[in-house]
Structure formats: structure tokens, C-alpha cells
Amino acid sequence: MRYLFEEYVFDTDRRELHRGTDAVSVTPQVFDLLDYLIRNRDRVVSKDDLITAIWKGRIVSDSALTTRLNAARAAIGDTGEEQRLIKTLPRRGFRFVGQMRETPEVANPNPRGASESSLALPDKPSIAVLPFENMSGDPEQEYFADGMVEEIITALSRFKSLFVIARNSSFTFKGKAVDVKEVGRRLGVRYVLEGSVRKASGKVRIAGQLIDAVTGAHIWADRFERDLTDIFDLQDEVTVAVVSAIQPKLFQAATEMATRRRPENLTAYDFFIRARQQYYLFTREGVAEGLRLAHRALELDPRFGVAAVLAGIRHVHNVIFGYAIDPQFDRSEAVRLSRLALSIDDSDPDTLAIAAIISAFMVGDSESEIEMTDRAVALNPNSYIAWSCRGHVYRIAGVPEEALRSFERAMRLSPVDPQLHTTLAGMGMAFIELSRFDEAIVAGKKAQRQSPSYSPAYRCLASAFAHLGRDIEAHDTAARLLETDPAFTISAWIARGGQSNAKLLIEGLRKAGLPE
């Protein structure tokens, strides 16, 4: 029998435990302990039950039992403090409480009768998009629904950090009543997206839901209703809406899964997604922790290009936020890591985009940086990161109009992104260079509300207020900036890089009374 829970597969016939594609080493006694707890998960197992089943009634000390239980918990990413999967009930015993499903070792869905076991889950978020059900009975909507699913699959496939099942495999389930858990098992994916299309009164309504195929839990669900005008424009619009909604959910689910694991069980990819979670923190501590985690991922996998570029941008943050003890070291490390990432894979859009940002701040070769971000958005026009980075690169290069177009596209793709304050602050600075100071204040205030400690938002606001002659607000905001960045001076900030074309922004900072 095979038991599936979270990302683990517990195979009693082969006496194997796997997490994703990785085999987890456990001693025979610990395996037996897990086996007994899982098989008897419908009840509380006493200490005497365990001793009888595992030790055959021999006298066993409490410390020996505790040691085996701790080892069992460690093997499945649990702890005695958390007790997410194995719960201790004081004075009663123990119980396995994780959500579980069972599958026989041999399945037989193929016509030739060959055995087929579950595919191991990939080491990154994996998804299958099933054909959407046509609820209207209109054959035209059938074509529309199929085409939209194909577009969603294509759009998701552009994210190299996702594992996406190809269209031909997904469409084998068309017209069939399916069990999402069985789909996940047969296709070897963690998540399944399913949906429906209904036409009524000149409108079309599309419903979609993202489901964890292992646990059956719903991750996301939404409805989209649009006028039925140009069918292909509508298809594109809904595709963008669905992809921009579910792609962050996939990474959020993967991140939450990684944070539940014990550090000694983390793989390079787990360290990477933890580092990416820290990316949204721009405090000194957040930058340092993100840098540590990214470098740890690189130690485990020196060819992990996305981890290399993530470490590189954290070195940039050390410089531009004034955290660096040795700025020259951070500069050289940022450039080295971005070049390493590009040497590993220069066709990954997010790697290209972030490498361009690193170069924009640390090198200043506008032509090369613009070329990289243009290529990034061509490779994946659905990437928030690529469009946002393109906006920053064009702003730094002194092309604020194109920067704004990129920022607006990024916000359309991910309107509630955790990184949105960086895009909003970038928009505010682009508005300033276009003398659109009122709009800069709107963008800066939104950025500040999302991240009250994000110093670029205060630089944007102080400069814009000063240009409008709102001196009290300018001075108050300048004081807030100095609270978040006590060592700030205009000359030091310019020296950090990427500000040579921010002439009106710098002029406004001087008017706001910030130290030269």
C-alpha cells in the first residue's frame, strides 16, 4: 500500500519513504513506527500499543520511545513542538493527524493492463490545466474554452520555476468525470486547475478553481464575467486574469510547505523559495537572511541560476539601502553572481530581468540592460517580475514614459503582488521626472502604505511635495526618510548607483531639506 500525505509517499510494500523525488532515509524501527501510526490513524495509539507492535513487548525506556518518535517526526518534516502530523495527547498516547490518501501499489488505467504507479512529484510547483467544461451547449463556446485552456497552459509554461503538464496529456481527460486526486496521481502534479464556461445574454462567465491534488484542498477560486464581443480578445483577457491570479498562489503554497520543514531536511530548492519569501523584506535583517538562504541554496547546487541572481540582487540591496559594511565587495559579488546566473541559463526571463537590474545599479550599461529586459518580456509576457524590472531599467536609463508603461503592465498582471511597493515607488519616481508630481504623490503614498519601512517611497514623496511647494509635508516626509535610513545623504545615495538620470528627483530632495 502507498500512503500519500503533503509531499510525501510512504510505500509499505517497498518499505520506502519519499519526499517528492527524494528518498528519505529511515531506520527499520522508525519505518515500522510510522507504519503503525499511519495504519491506525483513526484512533489514539497508546505507549503500550507501540511497544507491543514495534518492540514486541520488550521493556523499552521512555527516552528510547521519545527518540524514535522524534526521528519519525523529523523524517516527515514534523517536530515535537509543531506536531503537524504526529500529535501527542498527554496521558493518552499518539495519533497521526495528517490528511492522507491511499493508493494500491499497482494501478491499471491503461488498456494493456501494464502496471502504473504514481509519478513522483517534481521538485518545484507542478500543475495540470484540465479542459474547461462547456456549460452553455454552444459549440462556439467549446472552441473558445479549449483555446483558452491552451493559452493558459502556454502562459504558465513560460515560468521556468513551474512544472506544467503539456496540452495533449491534459486533454485526455476532456469530457470525462474526473477525480482531481486521481488526475494528480496519474499526471504526477501537485495542483490541478479546472473550470467551466457558460454563455448567457451576450455575456460569457468563466469559473475556475485551483486544487491541491494531494489533499483535495481548494487553493483559489474565482469567476470572470465579460461581454461576448471579440472572442479572441476575451480569451486573451481571461487568460491573463487567470494566470496572474494562480501563479502567485502556486508559489505561496510552495513557500508555506517549505517553511514547515525542519532545516536539516531542506533541499536547495527549499532554501531558494525561503530566500524568495525574504525578498519582500527590505530591512537590514531581511536582506541579510535572504542573502544567507540564497547562498545556502547555491552551496547545495552551484548550477542553480535563479538562486545566484537572487543572491546578486540582495548584494545590490545591501549597497543601495546603505547596509553594506564593504560596498565594493557587495558590488563585485552582485556582478559576479548575475554573470554566473546568465552563464547557467540566459533564456530564463526572470533571471534576465533581475540581472539587468543588477547591472543598472552596479554597472550602468543602459543599452545592454534595456536589451535584456526587452528579451525577458518577450520570453514571458506574463511575468510580473520581468515587466517590473523593465520599468526600473527604463527609469534608470532616463526613459520615464516607457518605464511607466512597463510598471502599469506589471500591476495589471499582479495587482496584489507582495512586491508591489517597489513598482509603485518606481512609478512615483518616473512621474517626478515627467513633472507629474501629483501622480507621484499618489503612487508614493500607496507604496508607503504597503511597506511603511520602504525608504524609496519616502524619497519619492519628499521630492514630489517639495516640487509642489508643500514644504511642511516635504519636511515631515524627509524626517520619516531619515528615520528609516538614518545615514542618508544625497551625495551618498547618488554614489550608490542608478541615479544619474534622476535630476528632478534629486532637485526635489534638496528642496525638501535633506542633507547633502
Side-chain angles (χ1 to χ4, degrees):
M1 181 64 69
R2 306 169 87 244
Y3 298 93
L4 283 68
F5 54 97
E6 295 193 347
E7 69 271 46
Y8 292 90
V9 178
F10 188 79
D11 191 325
T12 58
D13 295 323
R14 293 178 176 160
R15 291 185 64 82
E16 293 175 349
L17 173 65
H18 284 83
R19 182 173 61 79
T21 57
D22 299 327
V24 180
S25 177
V26 291
T27 65
Q29 217 169 52
V30 170
F31 189 94
D32 290 341
L33 178 60
L34 277 171
D35 187 14
Y36 190 79
L37 287 171
I38 289 171
R39 289 179 188 273
N40 293 276
R41 61 190 180 278
D42 58 340
R43 67 182 181 90
V44 177
V45 173
S46 70
K47 173 185 169 183
D48 289 341
D49 290 335
L50 287 175
I51 291 172
T52 299
I54 312 304
W55 285 274
K56 311 303 180 188
R58 297 195 307 271
I59 297 175
V60 177
S61 67
D62 287 345
S63 63
L65 177 58
T66 300
T67 299
R68 300 301 185 277
L69 278 166
N70 288 342
R73 282 184 169 124
I76 56 176
D78 201 0
T79 67
E81 293 76 26
E82 189 175 6
Q83 298 189 14
R84 189 181 75 260
L85 296 172
I86 299 175
K87 188 172 183 62
T88 300
L89 291 93
R91 294 182 298 280
R92 294 183 59 197
F94 313 92
R95 187 179 174 195
F96 189 93
V97 294
Q99 289 185 300
M100 175 78 65
R101 70 185 180 99
E102 302 177 13
T103 63
E105 175 57 28
V106 176
N108 190 20
N110 62 71
R112 298 184 181 181
S115 67
E116 177 184 270
S117 58
S118 299
L119 296 170
L121 294 176
D123 61 353
K124 55 186 175 180
S126 51
I127 183 171
V129 185
L130 297 184
F132 281 17
E133 184 179 359
N134 179 15
M135 307 287 287
S136 62
D138 182 349
E140 183 182 354
Q141 299 313 307
E142 192 81 26
Y143 303 135
F144 166 71
D146 287 353
M148 187 171 62
V149 169
E150 291 175 9
E151 290 296 325
I152 292 171
I153 291 171
T154 300
L156 287 171
S157 297
R158 292 191 175 109
F159 293 93
K160 291 194 173 185
S161 47
L162 294 178
F163 180 92
V164 184
I165 292 296
R167 180 254 189 222
N168 287 351
S169 290
S170 291
F171 271 70
T172 60
F173 295 94
K174 184 174 173 64
K176 300 176 182 176
V178 298
D179 176 351
V180 169
K181 291 183 178 182
E182 177 67 9
V183 171
R185 187 191 68 78
R186 290 184 60 184
L187 297 180
V189 293
R190 178 86 195 195
Y191 305 101
V192 171
L193 176 69
E194 60 179 13
S196 62
V197 177
R198 183 188 298 274
K199 176 187 172 186
S201 304
K203 292 184 179 291
V204 62
R205 177 178 294 170
I206 300 98
Q209 55 184 354
L210 181 67
I211 302 169
D212 185 322
V214 174
T215 66
H218 283 63
I219 305 296
W220 165 88
D222 207 347
R223 288 189 314 183
F224 306 89
E225 187 170 293
R226 301 288 189 274
D227 291 326
L228 189 58
T229 51
D230 188 308
I231 200 81
F232 297 110
D233 286 345
L234 175 61
Q235 189 180 85
D236 291 343
E237 182 183 354
V238 174
T239 296
V240 169
V242 172
V243 171
S244 62
I246 69 173
Q247 187 256 352
K249 288 292 184 183
L250 290 172
F251 289 129
Q252 178 185 342
T255 300
E256 289 171 352
M257 193 178 298
T259 56
R260 291 199 301 262
R261 298 180 188 140
R262 290 174 63 84
E264 58 265 30
N265 291 331
L266 290 174
T267 63
Y269 184 75
D270 295 322
F271 276 113
F272 165 69
I273 57 178
R274 283 192 170 200
R276 185 173 57 200
Q277 184 186 36
Q278 292 290 323
Y279 184 75
Y280 304 127
L281 303 177
F282 290 92
T283 61
R284 184 185 298 272
E285 296 75 19
V287 171
E289 179 64 4
L291 192 56
R292 183 190 72 80
L293 291 166
H295 274 292
R296 185 75 182 97
L298 273 176
E299 288 171 12
L300 293 171
D301 183 357
R303 302 294 295 171
F304 200 159
V306 185
V309 81
L310 184 59
I313 195 64
R314 287 319 236 168
H315 282 291
V316 171
H317 292 155
N318 264 342
V319 175
I320 65 176
F321 292 121
Y323 301 151
I325 297 172
D326 182 350
Q328 191 53 46
F329 168 79
D330 279 289
R331 286 178 179 277
S332 61
E333 276 296 280
V335 173
R336 180 187 71 80
L337 288 162
S338 68
R339 289 174 178 168
L340 170 63
L342 292 173
S343 73
I344 294 168
D345 185 1
D346 66 354
S347 65
D348 178 71
D350 290 353
T351 297
L352 276 168
I354 298 172
I357 284 286
I358 292 172
S359 180
F361 279 108
M362 302 290 99
V363 179
D365 180 2
S366 296
E367 186 176 339
S368 171
E369 294 142 17
I370 285 172
E371 186 275 330
M372 281 196 286
T373 55
D374 285 351
R375 191 150 61 96
V377 297
L379 285 167
N380 187 357
N382 303 293
S383 171
Y384 167 85
I385 290 176
W387 281 106
S388 184
C389 288
R390 186 177 188 268
H392 288 295
V393 163
Y394 272 91
R395 181 191 67 78
I396 291 169
V399 192
E401 300 92 340
E402 190 60 32
L404 282 174
R405 281 192 284 272
S406 296
F407 288 136
E408 287 165 357
R409 180 64 180 272
M411 291 179 65
R412 173 66 183 84
L413 287 167
S414 192
V416 293
D417 199 280
Q419 202 180 338
L420 206 60
H421 53 284
T422 66
T423 299
L424 288 163
M427 289 183 74
M429 289 184 268
F431 279 132
I432 287 173
E433 297 309 314
L434 293 168
S435 298
R436 293 161 63 177
F437 303 120
D438 287 319
E439 291 168 280
I441 289 170
V442 172
K445 284 184 174 179
K446 287 180 180 178
Q448 178 227 331
R449 282 196 296 271
Q450 191 190 38
S451 180
S453 63
Y454 189 56
S455 57
Y458 295 105
R459 289 198 292 270
C460 169
L461 287 169
S463 179
F465 281 135
H467 277 293
L468 290 174
R470 295 164 63 172
D471 294 340
I472 293 175
E473 290 162 294
H475 292 145
D476 287 346
T477 308
R480 294 286 302 278
L481 170 60
L482 292 174
E483 289 175 10
T484 61
D485 187 358
F488 178 87
T489 65
I490 294 171
S491 58
W493 176 66
I494 293 172
R496 294 173 191 171
Q499 316 306 331
S500 60
N501 290 305
K503 294 180 174 58
L504 287 179
L505 178 63
I506 293 168
E507 180 185 329
L509 294 176
R510 291 191 173 113
K511 287 181 178 179
L514 284 156
E516 190 64 44

